[in-house]
Amino acid sequence: MDDQTKTRLSAQTLVAQALGVHEPMTKAIVPPIHMSATYLRDADNGYAAGYVYGRTDNVTVQQAENLIAALEGAEEALLFGSGMAAATTVLLALEKPTHIIASQVMYWGFRSWLRDIGRYGHRVTFIDTSDLDAVRAAVKPGETGLLWIETPSNPLWTITDIAAVSEIAHAADAILCVDSTVATPIFTRPLSLGADIVMHSATKYLNGHSDVVAGALATVRDGPLWARIRKMRGQHGGALSPFDAWLLMRGMRTLNVRVRAQANTAAKLSAQLVGHPAISAVLYPGLEQHVGHKVALRQMAGGFGGMFSIRIKKGDKAAIAVAACVELWKRATSLGGVESLIEHRASIEGEGSPCPGDLLRLSVGLEDAEELYFDLTRALSVAT
Ligand SMILES: *Cc1c(COP(=O)(O)O)cnc(C)c1O
């Protein structure tokens, strides 16, 4: 598919055909997995095909990257061995020690890594990035080099206004990175809203089947930082394996239908649970009463994602008891798979977590909405 076709076609068509790549020798419509770790050098000592060594060059990985780039409207995407490998590479590739502004409420694994980033010379200010005045106040002119936001963010599904924060970042000559794992490229395209880099834990919705750990970065601005990111991935060897890239591409073929169905069920369940006697709050950006709903309406198109949280009136112990009583929902960490997951987040986040102890995070899968509702409400009444 040429670039013009890629920009013209919908995400639905792009993912279904995985950009229409086929294998030229047999015309197989499913591309094979290129496992080779090395490539033949030409007699003239060159590498005319452009492939030299597996740590940096692999067609299967590139095919999955090209699909992610097309979905995000990016110039280039890079795949990594995990979402954390992708996210940390951005920070490690910064040219010099800098001041970083990051969302207070975000994926805990990355937040705890960021908290220790002082050893690389960087300083971080954690703020509520949904509060634009707080973002403006946190910028240190001449010092702030990077803003890192996650929207909707774990596990309160806080919404940050990407376009507004990108203006603030660019006015300060800083770059904006957006962890868009939960929104997926189907509902939000951060690069079109001004972000410089978009990041995904491809482990989650992009792959969607809980059987690959992967991460992605994509950009529209191929500048010096991006060149260092690309080089660092090659040097550190953080790229995704060909087999995982192939599985990821297979998973992405159904991305559009999966996330739309998951968002529909999440919208239905969250609305049904509002006012439940055992629940003190239902957190879902699709609900009118969610603090980020208005911004979400503006920057999310077609749905609000498949993640929501509930807070249990009777507190921490009761929340754990509810999770213990479900049968259909699986008690596990992670999100975005075809099977619904329930998790007491505070237990995994540990000390220093801003996650309330009475909160249960729900990742909605592809099961029947009524069966999921019945299972959860039965657990709520048994446990509370
Ligand atoms: C899971 C997750 C990550 C980390 O990705 P891994 O693939 O587990 O390394 C980062 N951000 C968000 C929002 C996540 O859900």
Side-chain angles (χ1 to χ4, degrees):
M1 239 176 234
D2 58 35
D3 286 349
Q4 225 178 351
T5 315
K6 279 189 222 166
T7 13
R8 187 171 49 82
L9 292 175
S10 62
Q12 180 177 352
T13 302
L14 293 175
V15 293
Q17 300 200 351
L19 301 185
V21 174
H22 64 272
E23 193 276 308
M25 190 169 84
T26 61
K27 304 282 163 99
I29 59 166
V30 175
I33 311 175
H34 286 258
M35 293 299 286
S36 190
T38 191
Y39 303 86
L40 283 175
R41 193 186 268 279
D42 304 326
D44 68 0
N45 211 34
Y47 278 108
Y51 293 86
V52 178
Y53 184 58
R55 179 157 25 77
T56 43
D57 316 315
N58 184 277
V59 173
T60 307
V61 175
Q62 285 166 352
Q63 285 167 351
E65 287 172 342
N66 291 343
L67 179 53
I68 293 171
L71 292 176
E72 290 291 1
E75 220 172 275
E76 186 178 9
L78 293 170
L79 277 168
F80 292 80
S82 71
M84 280 297 286
T88 54
T89 300
V90 175
L91 281 285
L92 296 174
L94 290 172
E95 192 181 12
K96 53 179 198 288
T98 187
H99 174 243
I100 297 157
I101 296 172
S103 300
Q104 207 158 39
V105 174
M106 65 148 91
Y107 173 69
W108 73 284
F110 191 54
R111 189 185 63 235
S112 41
W113 186 80
L114 272 178
R115 281 208 309 205
D116 291 336
I117 203 160
R119 67 182 179 281
Y120 299 105
H122 302 304
R123 284 153 306 128
V124 195
T125 307
F126 291 99
I127 54 158
D128 174 4
T129 52
S130 70
D131 177 350
L132 296 176
D133 289 329
V135 179
R136 280 185 209 101
V139 171
K140 298 178 200 244
E143 292 177 49
T144 304
L146 176 80
L147 280 81
W148 186 283
I149 61 173
E150 179 180 317
T151 183
S153 78
N154 267 286
L156 307 178
W157 319 113
T158 313
I159 302 291
T160 294
D161 187 330
I162 299 170
V165 170
S166 105
E167 271 182 35
I168 299 171
H170 295 155
D173 271 335
I175 67 156
L176 173 65
C177 292
V178 180
D179 182 339
S180 196
T181 300
V182 171
T184 81
I186 301 299
F187 299 134
T188 307
R189 301 221 306 176
L191 301 178
S192 72
L193 298 168
D196 299 278
I197 296 175
V198 56
M199 175 250 152
H200 285 279
S201 168
T203 312
K204 314 294 167 56
Y205 289 103
L206 291 184
N207 181 62
H209 293 75
S210 310
D211 51 13
V212 169
V213 173
L217 297 175
T219 192
V220 269
R221 282 180 257 291
D222 187 358
L225 173 65
W226 188 255
R228 281 194 299 276
I229 289 171
R230 195 196 295 110
K231 189 171 172 188
M232 186 171 274
R233 186 189 66 162
Q235 290 175 325
H236 290 192
L240 191 62
S241 80
F243 182 57
D244 285 346
W246 186 89
L247 278 175
L248 172 59
M249 195 149 57
R250 177 190 163 111
M252 283 193 288
R253 285 177 184 266
T254 55
L255 177 69
N256 182 71
V257 281
R258 275 189 287 109
V259 299
R260 287 186 194 281
Q262 286 163 310
N264 275 341
T265 305
K268 205 183 275 177
L269 293 179
S270 60
Q272 280 176 310
L273 291 165
V274 171
H276 188 284
I279 295 175
S280 61
V282 181
L283 305 169
Y284 183 63
L287 292 173
E288 241 171 74
Q289 60 266 40
H290 189 275
V291 285
H293 181 64
K294 278 211 182 87
V295 180
L297 265 180
R298 226 186 306 127
Q299 76 184 16
M300 301 185 83
F304 300 95
M307 298 299 301
F308 71 99
S309 297
I310 53 176
R311 296 184 64 177
I312 305 300
K313 263 188 202 159
K314 285 197 173 156
D316 309 19
K317 284 212 179 83
I320 295 170
V322 172
C325 286
V326 291
E327 282 167 11
L328 272 185
W329 298 79
K330 302 297 169 213
R331 266 183 312 282
T333 195
S334 198
L335 57 98
V338 293
E339 62 290 298
S340 293
L341 304 180
I342 187 167
E343 187 182 28
H344 181 250
R345 269 315 278 179
S347 297
I348 198 158
E349 298 200 5
E351 236 176 277
S353 159
C355 177
D358 59 6
L359 181 144
L360 290 171
R361 185 181 83 173
L362 297 141
S363 169
V364 175
L366 292 178
E367 304 90 335
D368 179 76
E370 263 176 55
E371 288 166 4
L372 289 174
Y373 178 75
F374 179 77
D375 188 46
L376 186 61
T377 48
R378 194 194 46 81
L380 282 164
S381 55
V382 171
T384 65

XYZ file of all heavy atoms in Angstrom, residues 82-84 107 150 154 179 181 199 201 203-204 213-214 335, ligand 1:
127
model
N 8.901 -4.510 25.072
C 7.800 -4.273 26.017
C 7.429 -2.800 25.971
O 8.180 -1.985 25.428
C 8.214 -4.660 27.448
O 9.160 -3.725 27.944
N 6.305 -2.467 26.567
C 5.908 -1.065 26.683
C 6.924 -0.288 27.515
O 7.266 0.859 27.206
N 7.427 -0.924 28.577
C 8.419 -0.270 29.433
C 9.713 -0.011 28.662
O 10.346 1.029 28.847
C 8.691 -1.136 30.673
C 7.635 -1.008 31.750
S 7.531 0.678 32.430
C 9.018 0.722 33.443
N 0.383 4.679 34.695
C 0.816 3.303 34.844
C 1.928 3.237 35.897
O 2.975 3.861 35.733
C 1.296 2.764 33.491
C 1.912 1.402 33.609
C 1.127 0.297 33.924
C 3.272 1.214 33.454
C 1.684 -0.949 34.071
C 3.842 -0.034 33.589
C 3.051 -1.114 33.900
O 3.616 -2.340 34.054
N -0.423 10.372 30.209
C -1.133 9.134 29.875
C -2.609 9.507 29.916
O -3.071 10.106 30.888
C -0.810 8.077 30.936
C -1.497 6.740 30.720
C -1.122 5.740 31.821
O 0.055 5.663 32.205
O -2.038 5.057 32.317
N -4.325 5.283 34.062
C -4.500 4.238 35.068
C -4.450 4.785 36.482
O -3.507 5.512 36.794
C -3.329 3.262 34.942
C -3.666 2.105 34.043
O -4.415 1.237 34.443
N -3.103 2.112 32.861
N 1.285 8.409 26.379
C 1.016 6.979 26.514
C -0.461 6.790 26.167
O -1.348 7.160 26.937
C 1.317 6.521 27.948
C 1.089 5.021 28.141
O 0.347 4.425 27.341
O 1.633 4.456 29.110
N -1.939 3.879 25.338
C -2.266 2.448 25.435
C -3.765 2.199 25.594
O -4.339 1.346 24.920
C -1.527 1.838 26.651
O -0.125 1.999 26.456
C -1.856 0.364 26.823
N 3.136 6.580 22.551
C 3.669 5.314 23.048
C 2.521 4.348 23.333
O 1.435 4.776 23.738
C 4.470 5.599 24.328
C 4.993 4.382 25.048
S 4.112 4.171 26.596
C 4.222 2.418 26.809
N 1.788 0.363 25.154
C 2.097 -0.985 25.567
C 1.290 -1.846 24.606
O 0.073 -1.990 24.747
C 1.662 -1.252 27.009
O 1.738 -2.651 27.234
N 1.305 -4.821 24.374
C 0.865 -5.993 25.135
C -0.651 -5.957 25.318
O -1.284 -7.000 25.472
C 1.498 -5.932 26.548
O 2.884 -5.649 26.431
C 1.290 -7.217 27.310
N -1.196 -4.747 25.344
C -2.585 -4.557 25.731
C -3.506 -4.633 24.505
O -3.579 -5.669 23.887
C -2.717 -3.243 26.492
C -1.618 -3.040 27.565
C -1.695 -4.044 28.715
C -0.452 -4.044 29.599
N -0.105 -2.757 30.182
N 4.171 -9.718 24.886
C 4.600 -8.511 25.598
C 5.371 -7.670 24.592
O 6.349 -8.149 24.005
C 5.471 -8.862 26.828
C 6.054 -7.592 27.460
C 4.644 -9.621 27.870
N 4.890 -6.445 24.343
C 5.509 -5.608 23.304
C 5.214 -4.142 23.583
O 4.267 -3.810 24.287
C 4.975 -5.992 21.927
N -4.328 -5.640 30.878
C -5.600 -5.129 30.353
C -5.641 -5.288 28.837
O -4.629 -5.601 28.214
C -5.769 -3.645 30.734
C -4.675 -2.650 30.285
C -5.067 -1.922 29.014
C -4.423 -1.627 31.380
C 1.065 -2.137 30.690
C 1.278 -0.706 30.498
C 2.556 -0.180 30.309
C 3.794 -1.048 30.345
O 3.843 -1.887 29.241
P 4.506 -3.360 29.259
O 4.195 -3.868 27.904
O 3.865 -4.123 30.375
O 5.969 -3.154 29.504
C 2.676 1.182 30.093
N 1.582 1.989 30.069
C 0.346 1.512 30.246
C -0.813 2.450 30.207
C 0.145 0.161 30.468
O -1.099 -0.308 30.670
